[in-house]
């Protein structure tokens, strides 16, 4: 499976029960995603919530299940409006996030392309279902608008929940901007539904910073849409109560034979991890790369994902004005983690800073685990619970490393 | 193609594991693929151990007539299969079985896949339309015409009835 896969001239496996160029009931033309991304449209000025709606509009989604939790409630409600306009097969509100994810699973087992959103405590409420989706090989997309975890309760952005998601077996992509979020939602379906991947995907963005601020976004025309999901390309049989994976829910192997249970669990877990690895080539073909880099020949680098990248860009500009040169590595995907790209990008760096919007420093740990000479990695700055990360804070962390005196920032001693 | 043909002819217990995607006539292409699989089995000649579904085999597997994708090594060990081919098996189950066979046995695995192929197989075909399977059949016949003899141990293909084995 290291060779490129393709359907004749197209690079991405797609449904074969419709043809590219056919129209759906809304008159949208089924189009290859790479061609969609190359269709020029005048830029729009949209919030992240609106961008989620507009991506869903052209994603040929069969079902979206909604549950309100800040900051994704607006996006979920806007998707409901799309349903009223006829762009979705079905839409309803679940009883809780846990119910929502179970309902998504049922629909995906039945062959639907499913989209949902959640955040913070909602993600944790739903959590049992995420590894279930992965083990059942259900290519559901959940947009996680990262928000702080209780207690204390906060609705503000914090990426701690992404740390909890790391070993669920889902693909995890982290959008920096509304543009990223739009692209990742569309690309996410195409990658997740590949037969050799076929995993759920969490497209993460930082709540409020992305969802509630307006940004310039290049969308695809509303007249085109993704090809629909073809359940017959699933690597497991379509919903079948007698056969795994559904069989394993109602009649787990452990009830009959521990030996088979051990063997099954080990092999299914390995297979899910292998599927994550196999997603790399598809992601690279559509998104171009798993990372973005700037000036990685410099001795000081910042490695970041999500909105921390935006802050880092500004901090780099500020430092440049003072003659301090810093490079940048933006991680687009957290699972699969771009090990090879990160090792190559950081090969020359003497110091690597990892700013994060969480206090656990999980991204710094991932980076440390990946690269040689990881004493070069400085975890921080870290802010939690929704605090902003001013560029001055990032700049000050780097200057302190360089031994350059800085002005005392508020709340810090001299 | 010729390499796969040679591996089959060198094998003492060549075996084909057809999966539900060729065993059930869920579309016309499945029927064509099934015909091609039968032609391949006859050409080698290879044993056929079908995998009509992925249900766990209870209370205990009969490894001469069935294979469990979560525990394929039992079938491989019992029958001393040295070369096997998976065809018409859903990719997930095929990946599992190929991983376990590669990890636990000396069997040479060949995957005949309609999609992207399988990295865990020793030899993997991709985009395996019926024509490709018939091409493999022709390759085997060509080698036989050149004097290459099948090393397969003589066997009687079992037949299954509704209540179990018929022979």
């Amino acid at each position: 499976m290291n060779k490129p896969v393709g359907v004749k001239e197209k690079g991405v496996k797609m449904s074969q029960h419709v043809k590219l160029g056919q129209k759906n009931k809304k008159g949208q033309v089924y189009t290859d995603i790479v061609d969609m991304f190359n269709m020029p449209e005048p830029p729009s000025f949209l919030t992240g919530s609106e961008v989620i709606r507009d991506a869903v509009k052209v994603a040929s989604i069969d079902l979206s299940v909604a549950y309100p939790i800040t900051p994704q409630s607006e996006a979920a409600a806007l998707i409901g409006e799309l349903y009223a306009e006829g762009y979705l097969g079905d839409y309803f509100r679940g009883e809780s996030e846990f119910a929502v994810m179970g309902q998504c699973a049922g629909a995906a087992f039945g062959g639907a392309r499913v989209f949902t959103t959640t955040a913070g405590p909602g993600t944790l409420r739903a959590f049992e279902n995420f590894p279930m989706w992965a083990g059942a090989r259900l290519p559901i997309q959940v947009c996680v608008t990262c928000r702080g975890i209780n207690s204390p309760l906060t609705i503000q952005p914090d990426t701690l929940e992404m740390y909890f998601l790391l070993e669920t077996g889902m693909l995890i992509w982290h959008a920096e901007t509304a543009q990223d979020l739009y692209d990742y939602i569309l690309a996410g379906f195409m990658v997740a539904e590949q037969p050799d991947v076929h995993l759920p995907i969490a497209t993460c963005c930082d709540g409020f910073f992305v969802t509630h601020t307006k940004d310039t976004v290049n969308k695809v025309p509303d007249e085109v849409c993704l090809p629909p999901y073809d359940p017959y390309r699933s690597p497991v049989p379509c919903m079948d109560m007698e056969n795994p994976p559904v069989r394993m829910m109602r009649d787990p192997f452990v009830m009959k034979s521990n030996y088979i249970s051990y063997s099954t669990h080990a092999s299914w877990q390995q297979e899910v991890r292998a599927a994550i690895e196999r997603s790399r080539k598809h992601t690279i073909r559509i998104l171009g790369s798993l990372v973005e880099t700037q000036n990685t020949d410099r001795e000081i680098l910042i490695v970041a994902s999500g909105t921390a990248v935006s802050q880092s860009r500004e901090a780099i500009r500020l430092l440049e004005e003072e003659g301090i040169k810093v490079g940048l590595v933006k991680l687009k995907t957290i699972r699969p983690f771009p090990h090879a790209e990160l090792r190559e990008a950081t090969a020359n760096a003497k110091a690597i800073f990892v700013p994060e919007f969480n206090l656990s420093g999980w991204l710094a740990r991932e980076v440390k685990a990946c690269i040689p000479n990881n004493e070069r990695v400085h975890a921080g700055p870290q802010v939690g619970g929704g605090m902003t990360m001013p560029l001055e804070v990032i700049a000050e962390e780097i200057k302190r490393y360089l031994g350059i005196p800085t002005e005392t920032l508020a709340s810090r001693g001299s | 193609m010729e390499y796969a043909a040679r591996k089959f002819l060198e094998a003492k217990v060549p075996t084909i594991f057809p999966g539900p995607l060729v065993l059930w006539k869920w579309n016309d292409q499945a029927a064509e693929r099934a015909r091609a699989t039968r032609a391949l089995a006859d050409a080698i000649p290879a044993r056929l151990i079908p995998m009509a579904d992925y249900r766990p085999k209870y209370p205990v597997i009969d490894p001469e007539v069935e294979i469990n994708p979560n525990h394929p090594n039992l079938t491989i060990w019992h029958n001393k299969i040295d070369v096997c081919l998976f065809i018409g098996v859903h990719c997930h189950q095929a990946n599992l079985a190929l991983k376990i066979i590669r990890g636990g046995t000396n069997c040479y695995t060949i995957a005949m896949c309609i999609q992207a192929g399988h990295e865990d197989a020793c030899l993997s075909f991709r985009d395996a339309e019926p024509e490709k399977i018939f091409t493999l059949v022709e390759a085997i016949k060509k080698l036989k015409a050149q004097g290459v003899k099948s090393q397969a141990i003589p066997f009687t293909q079992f037949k299954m009835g509704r209540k179990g084995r018929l022979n």
Side-chain angles (χ1 to χ4, degrees):
Chain A
M1 295 233 218
N2 291 322
K3 292 187 188 150
V5 293
V7 176
K8 306 284 189 272
E9 67 281 357
K10 293 299 176 190
V12 173
K13 287 247 178 241
M14 52 150 276
S15 164
Q16 287 188 338
H17 63 268
V18 298
K19 302 275 182 239
L20 293 174
Q22 277 182 356
K23 288 188 181 181
N24 64 11
K25 62 180 181 174
K26 292 296 289 179
Q28 295 171 305
V29 178
Y30 295 125
T31 308
D32 182 77
I33 187 171
V34 175
D35 294 336
M36 283 170 72
F37 282 157
N38 287 326
M39 289 179 172
E41 275 277 295
S44 310
F45 194 50
L46 300 166
T47 64
S49 300
E50 291 165 337
V51 143
I52 292 172
R53 175 202 58 201
D54 289 346
V56 166
K57 192 175 183 181
V58 295
S60 302
I61 287 169
D62 297 305
L63 171 71
S64 184
V65 191
Y67 193 82
I69 185 165
T70 309
Q72 55 89 66
S73 311
E74 186 189 357
L78 290 173
I79 293 172
E81 290 176 16
L82 284 181
Y83 168 65
E85 292 168 19
Y87 286 97
L88 266 72
D90 207 345
Y91 171 89
F92 57 88
R93 175 181 62 76
E95 293 80 32
S96 72
E97 288 89 349
F98 179 82
V100 165
M101 305 309 167
Q103 287 150 351
C104 291
F109 273 124
R113 177 178 285 164
V114 184
F115 182 85
T116 188
T117 56
T118 190
T123 305
L124 268 58
R125 186 111 193 257
F127 211 90
E128 182 185 359
N129 289 291
F130 297 140
M132 182 271 277
W133 288 353
R137 309 293 297 276
L138 299 173
I140 299 165
Q141 178 161 181
V142 55
C143 181
V144 180
T145 58
C146 295
R147 142 187 175 165
I149 304 294
N150 310 346
S151 295
L153 187 145
T154 175
I155 60 170
Q156 301 293 344
D158 188 310
T159 56
L160 181 58
E161 67 193 274
M162 288 181 64
Y163 181 36
F164 299 151
L165 291 173
L166 291 182
E167 296 304 320
T168 53
M170 296 205 284
L171 303 176
I172 302 173
W173 295 2
H174 197 184
E176 177 195 351
T177 58
Q179 180 72 67
D180 274 358
L181 184 60
Y182 184 82
D183 294 347
Y184 292 5
I185 289 174
L186 297 178
F189 279 121
M190 291 292 101
V191 173
E193 289 171 5
Q194 289 300 298
D196 58 338
V197 179
H198 225 262
L199 289 174
I201 177 166
T203 36
C204 305
C205 68
D206 299 347
F208 285 108
F209 293 154
V210 175
T211 57
H212 284 65
T213 58
K214 283 200 170 193
D215 202 353
T216 312
V217 179
N218 293 312
K219 299 192 303 173
V220 307
D222 286 346
E223 293 76 33
V224 298
C225 66
L226 294 180
Y229 172 56
D230 182 357
Y232 290 103
R233 289 202 166 275
S234 168
V236 289
C238 298
M239 189 166 185
D240 182 337
M241 292 299 285
E242 289 300 315
N243 286 289
V246 181
R247 168 69 181 262
M248 298 193 303
M249 314 289 170
R250 74 173 180 86
D251 184 19
F253 296 145
V254 69
M255 307 288 275
K256 300 288 195 298
S257 161
N258 276 337
Y259 191 54
I260 292 193
S261 180
Y262 303 149
S263 171
T264 308
H265 222 279
S267 53
W268 279 62
Q269 282 200 41
Q270 285 179 52
E271 172 60 10
V272 166
R273 282 170 167 74
I276 293 176
E277 295 305 307
R278 292 192 292 258
S279 75
R280 289 177 196 271
K281 57 185 181 294
H282 302 293
T283 310
I284 289 168
R285 189 174 310 117
I286 301 177
L287 292 186
S289 59
L290 303 185
V291 303
E292 258 177 47
T293 57
Q294 271 177 29
N295 301 317
T296 52
D297 52 328
R298 294 180 174 174
E299 289 185 350
I300 302 176
L301 285 187
I302 295 176
V303 175
S305 69
T307 323
V309 176
S310 301
Q311 297 304 95
S312 300
R313 290 184 201 278
E314 290 302 304
I316 288 171
R317 182 186 53 76
L318 186 69
L319 289 165
E320 194 95 26
E321 287 169 6
E322 299 178 32
I324 301 169
K325 296 199 181 304
V326 177
L328 176 67
V329 180
K330 164 183 166 176
L331 306 184
K332 298 181 189 175
T333 68
I334 308 297
R335 287 293 182 268
F337 195 76
H339 297 103
E341 292 88 341
L342 191 57
R343 278 196 281 268
E344 186 186 339
T346 56
N348 298 323
K350 293 206 166 91
I352 299 161
F353 290 84
V354 187
E356 298 182 58
F357 279 98
N358 68 82
L359 291 178
S360 84
W362 60 262
L363 185 59
R365 276 198 294 282
E366 291 280 306
V367 172
K368 281 186 187 176
C370 164
I371 62 173
N373 306 321
N374 64 7
E375 67 282 354
R376 299 178 288 160
V377 178
H378 302 259
Q382 292 160 1
V383 296
M387 285 181 67
T388 58
M389 192 189 312
L391 43 145
E392 291 84 359
V393 168
I394 302 175
E396 192 248 10
E397 188 102 1
I398 293 174
K399 284 184 188 173
R400 200 144 36 95
Y401 160 75
L402 292 171
I404 297 172
T406 62
E407 280 182 26
T408 303
L409 296 174
S411 85
R412 286 175 179 265
S414 48
Chain B
M1 197 64 80
E2 188 187 318
Y3 189 83
R6 280 191 188 278
K7 290 303 280 190
F8 274 124
L9 291 175
E10 285 167 5
K12 291 206 164 15
V13 187
T15 308
I16 296 176
F17 297 114
L21 294 170
V22 303
L23 288 174
W24 299 99
K25 192 183 173 187
W26 61 288
N27 62 24
D28 291 332
Q29 238 197 3
E32 187 59 24
R33 207 168 284 128
R35 274 189 280 277
T37 305
R38 172 59 85 172
L40 182 63
D42 291 341
I44 295 169
R47 297 159 204 238
L48 284 163
I49 298 182
M51 199 178 347
D53 55 49
Y54 307 117
R55 282 183 287 184
K57 315 298 181 223
Y58 297 130
V60 67
I61 189 171
D62 180 356
E64 288 181 15
V65 304
E66 55 194 0
I67 177 170
N68 179 344
N70 292 304
H71 215 342
N73 36 356
L74 296 176
T75 303
I76 303 290
W77 287 333
H78 177 85
N79 297 297
K80 297 186 175 40
I81 297 169
D82 46 0
V83 175
C84 68
L85 176 132
F86 283 81
I87 180 167
V89 181
H90 285 85
C91 288
H92 176 101
Q93 275 80 9
N95 286 338
L96 300 182
L98 290 166
K99 275 188 183 56
I100 295 170
I101 293 172
R102 186 186 64 183
T105 77
N106 292 324
C107 180
Y108 189 91
T109 50
I110 303 174
M112 186 67 78
C113 182
I114 191 69
Q115 311 207 75
H118 294 269
E119 67 217 352
D120 288 307
C122 300
L123 195 158
S124 176
F125 289 95
R126 54 179 286 207
D127 302 324
E129 302 287 344
E131 296 76 33
K132 195 172 269 195
I133 306 168
F134 280 117
T135 306
L136 180 55
V137 173
E138 292 309 313
I140 290 169
K141 288 181 178 166
K142 186 174 164 194
L143 281 178
K144 283 188 164 179
Q146 290 171 0
V148 179
K149 288 188 173 26
S150 169
Q151 303 300 306
I153 298 169
F155 66 94
T156 306
Q157 176 64 42
F158 67 86
K159 288 185 177 9
M160 293 294 274
R162 283 188 180 276
K163 294 203 174 140
R165 216 167 152 169
L166 296 174
N167 62 346

